[in-house]
Structures are given as C-alpha cells and as structure tokens.
Amino acid sequence: MTNWMEVESRVFMATGRRMPVVLVRGEGTRAWDDNGKEYLDFFGGPAVHSLGHCHPVVVEAIEKQARTLIHVSNAVYSVPQLQLAEVLESNSVFDKIYFSNSGAEANEAAIKLARKWGRERKSGATDIIAMNDSFHGRTIAAVTATGTPRYSEPFAPLPGGFVHIPFDDIEALQQATTPQTCAIMVEPVQGEGGVNVPNPSYFPAVRKWCDDNNILLIADEVQTGMCRTGPLFAYQGMGFEPDVMTLAKGLGSGVPIGAILAKDSCAVFTPGDHGSTYGGNPFVCAVALAVTNYMIENDLASRVEKVGSYLQEKLAGLGGKYPLVTGCRGKGLLLAMTLSQDIADKIVLECLENGLIVNNVRPNAVRLAPPLTVENAEVDKALGIIESAVAKLS
Ligand SMILES: Cc1ncc(COP(=O)(O)O)c(C=O)c1O
C-alpha cells in the first residue's frame, strides 16, 4: 500500500501541520482512511462541510452542472451565478454580490471595496481596523489584516493601513479610530483565533460607532456564515447589520467558492475595478445554490441551534466531572471545549486514535465544527470519544 505520508514529505510543499490521517472517502459526518478505518468528522474541512461529506444534494448538483456547463468567464452572463446572487440577496440585508474562489479572496475584495469607498466617499480615508487573534486568510492583504503577526511577518514588506486592536473591546475601537479610518473588519465569532464569542452588547455598539463616524463595518462570515452559528448569517443573531460581508467555506459545502456582499450605499466597484477568472463560475454556483436552498428549505438554522445547544451543554458538563475541562464556548455548531492545561493537541490525537476528527484551535481549546446535518446519535458517539480522551489525559 502506498505510504502517502512519505510521498507528502517528498513532493509536497508543506506549509502547515497535518493530522496523521489519509482520508479517502466520506459520507455525511463519517469519513474513512486508506486502511478502511471509520471516523466521525467534527473538523469538517474546517467548518466547510455544511451538509457533510458527499451530500446527495451536492453530488446531484455537481453531476448535473458538470454535464451542462462547467465554466464561462465573467465576460458573459451566467445563470447559476445570478440565481445564487438573488437567493443570497433576498435572504440578507445586502444588495450587491461578487463571487471569488476562497475566503481570502473575498476579503481582498472587501479591503479593496472599503478603500475605494474611503477614497471616494470619506475624503481619502483608507485605514482598516482589524482584531488581534482574527483570521482573514493568507493572501498578502488578508494576512496583514489577520491579527496573528507570525502569519504575516515573514512576508514583509506588508501593505500599510492596517491597525490591530483587541476583539470585544469597544473602547479600543474608539481610541484606534482616526479620520483616516474607512472600515473595521471583524469576525462575528473568531474562528481560527479560538472560537471567541463577544459580549452581546459588542456588535450593536460597534454598529453605532461606525454609524456615528462614517466607517464601514465589514463582517468576515467566511467561517460563521451559512448557518454555522445558527442563523443563515451570524450577524442575524447578534443584533447588528454589517455594510459588507464575506462568505466562503459552508457556502459550497466542499466546492471552492467565496463571496463579497455589500449594501448599495457602499457597493462602489465599477467595471475594471475587480475580477476573477474562475470566481462564481456556473459549476461552483450551481452547487452553492443547491446548498443554500437546502439550508433554507430544511430550516437548518433551527436544527443547528438545537443540536448546538445540546452539544455545548454536554461538553460544558464534562467540566463538572473532570477539572481538565474548563468549559465550552461558541455558537451553534462552531464550538470549542476549553481546557485547564495546554494539551489540546494530545486530546486531538487521542480522539483521532478512537475515530473522531477534531482540531486544537488553541493550545488549550479543541474546536468542534461538525456538519450542520449531524445526527443526534453521532453527537452522542463523539461525546463518548471526547470523554474517554479527557478521562485518559486527566
Ligand atoms: C474567518 C475566516 N476568514 C477567512 C478565511 C480564509 O479562507 P480561505 O482559506 O478560503 O482563503 C478563513 C479560513 O479559515 C476564516 O476562518
């Protein structure tokens, strides 16, 4: 049998650490490795498989569109792209949409949009305030916006005009604002930064500050969007309306697509300002349209809230039994079990050994982002594996 880990070390440009598992097949919440071992996938891509692995709706849309039309450029009109734009527009507060291939590219577009808006509508203001511990992607501007300096510093010189402040701190935002500020870029719940949920008063206060100071509020919903936290978009459950929102991950449930959505008041792109060869091609848009319609028609929002509360309660409950577990934070099905020691990596490996894929999003936090379609029995099985890992390492 081929040793794929050996092949990887020989030919692949390693840019990150992998879990020691070669996945070759998936169905719903389950996936199998090259030895035929079965896993529950609560990592999900991360947070990508909104409908799980190879959901029939996704597979059917892929097959149908692959036989119809895979790619045309944005130089012609494309029906699936416009249908998807209409569905996203009618289920959100936004008026205009453009598609990309990834979350980072969607954020690049948001940064460009905000700067053009500032140049035209706010006396040339181009500074963007972003958060410590945020994650916005790996392209040069997105990684500069990302609040983890070790991701960006090796690639200096970085684009200027980004300021970082603590998340969930309205005073820091007030102090960092200058007449040069055009936008604040923020995740409703920080995903890669540790599944950090702000105080309920934070976003309404950010919104008011942005209104009072003529600043665009960009919500990076690449991870939180598409029912991941419950509502179709996280902002809908957090008491505010962004001016601009970015999406990716769960939108395609596995096919690569991202999107930038903006209100008419700041949709300042005009022909020539932006573009993408693949962005929003018929293939990915037909799949994302099927995914989005499935979520809406099957009210995945309510399901996520119910299953998410159950999972959160059970994980937090482990704290009563094992001092190693300090709690569980998150929203919907974007959760992190927090630990009293920096051994999340060990918990992850122990879970993997026992057939559950999760990841250590912080040294002391294990993230769970199962498919939104996860079944109750799968949740209980995963909880059993987590409890065994916690018991063993306590
Ligand atoms: C909030 C957020 N924004 C942007 C990105 C980058 O998305 P992509 O990897 O598709 O470029 C991620 C990826 O984890 C993310 O979580």
Side-chain angles (χ1 to χ4, degrees):
M1 204 175 90
T2 307
N3 181 341
W4 292 110
M5 295 186 200
E6 187 279 320
V7 175
E8 197 254 19
S9 66
R10 204 158 29 82
V11 302
F12 192 78
M13 200 181 286
T15 63
R17 270 183 278 280
R18 298 187 197 255
M19 298 180 217
V21 59
V22 180
L23 292 180
V24 296
R25 190 163 70 85
E27 189 184 321
T29 310
R30 294 177 302 160
W32 287 265
D33 72 12
D34 54 348
N35 287 308
K37 179 175 166 183
E38 183 180 315
Y39 298 83
L40 280 173
D41 188 355
F42 274 47
F43 177 60
V48 164
H49 303 134
S50 43
L51 305 191
H53 289 280
C54 303
H55 192 284
V57 161
V58 173
V59 173
E60 210 172 284
I62 287 174
E63 285 177 350
K64 186 162 171 236
Q65 193 60 38
R67 281 197 205 94
T68 310
L69 185 68
I70 293 174
H71 179 76
V72 293
S73 89
N74 281 308
V76 302
Y77 292 84
S78 163
V79 177
Q81 180 186 79
L82 298 174
Q83 288 174 323
L84 177 60
E86 273 193 318
V87 171
L88 293 174
E89 185 261 359
S90 60
N91 284 282
S92 72
V93 293
F94 304 101
D95 305 298
K96 295 289 191 304
I97 298 169
Y98 191 81
F99 295 105
S100 63
N101 308 291
S102 66
E105 284 170 274
N107 286 331
E108 290 282 330
I111 291 164
K112 286 174 68 177
L113 189 84
R115 289 195 162 161
K116 187 171 187 216
W117 175 85
R119 219 168 265 294
E120 291 182 351
R121 309 267 174 96
K122 199 184 170 187
S123 320
T126 51
D127 284 357
I128 294 173
I129 299 177
M131 303 296 137
N132 297 341
D133 295 325
S134 61
F135 189 81
H136 299 297
R138 300 291 195 155
T139 53
I140 199 78
V143 83
T144 305
T146 291
T148 304
R150 79 186 145 84
Y151 293 159
S152 55
E153 277 168 356
F155 311 106
L158 301 170
F162 290 91
V163 178
H164 287 93
I165 59 169
F167 182 53
D168 196 16
D169 184 340
I170 190 71
E171 276 173 25
L173 173 62
Q174 291 163 347
Q175 279 161 19
T177 300
T178 74
Q180 268 301 308
T181 306
C182 68
I184 153 170
M185 186 169 213
V186 58
E187 297 155 85
V189 174
Q190 290 188 324
E192 299 306 299
V195 189
N196 306 316
V197 183
N199 197 291
S201 63
Y202 179 62
F203 275 108
V206 172
R207 179 68 269 172
K208 183 169 184 328
W209 182 255
C210 288
D211 288 342
D212 292 349
N213 293 276
N214 194 24
I215 297 169
L216 294 184
L217 174 40
I218 304 170
D220 177 345
E221 293 232 24
V222 166
Q223 189 154 155
T224 56
M226 308 314 292
C227 296
R228 176 52 59 191
T229 69
L232 189 58
F233 308 115
Y235 78 80
Q236 293 167 328
M238 296 176 79
F240 77 107
E241 282 185 10
D243 301 296
V244 178
M245 175 175 78
T246 55
L247 296 174
K249 292 190 184 279
L251 177 58
S253 195
V255 299
I257 181 169
I260 170 175
L261 300 87
K263 288 192 173 179
D264 266 335
S265 54
C266 59
V268 292
F269 281 157
T270 51
D273 278 342
H274 195 61
S276 170
T277 296
Y278 288 122
N281 81 11
F283 181 71
V284 293
C285 284
V287 179
L289 178 64
V291 169
T292 308
N293 282 338
Y294 183 90
M295 285 178 180
I296 295 167
E297 284 159 16
N298 292 279
D299 192 16
L300 283 198
S302 304
R303 183 180 161 66
V304 168
E305 277 173 21
K306 234 176 34 220
V307 180
S309 305
Y310 176 75
L311 184 52
Q312 186 160 11
E313 200 180 295
K314 292 281 178 188
L315 287 169
L318 290 180
K321 254 169 120 177
Y322 306 94
L324 176 59
V325 177
T326 52
C328 178
R329 62 182 179 233
K331 266 184 185 293
L333 285 171
L334 180 58
L335 300 172
M337 178 178 75
T338 53
L339 307 172
S340 58
Q341 295 169 45
D342 286 354
I343 58 163
D345 54 347
K346 294 197 172 76
I347 296 277
V348 165
L349 284 178
E350 187 60 29
C351 286
L352 193 67
E353 185 63 33
N354 292 304
L356 174 68
I357 309 176
V358 287
N359 85 308
N360 41 319
V361 76
R362 291 266 112 174
N364 65 351
V366 177
R367 174 174 53 186
L368 293 92
L372 313 178
T373 48
V374 64
E375 287 171 15
N376 295 344
E378 293 168 334
V379 169
D380 287 332
K381 190 170 171 198
L383 283 164
I385 295 172
I386 293 168
E387 178 160 3
S388 302
V390 167
K392 185 165 174 190
L393 292 163
S394 280

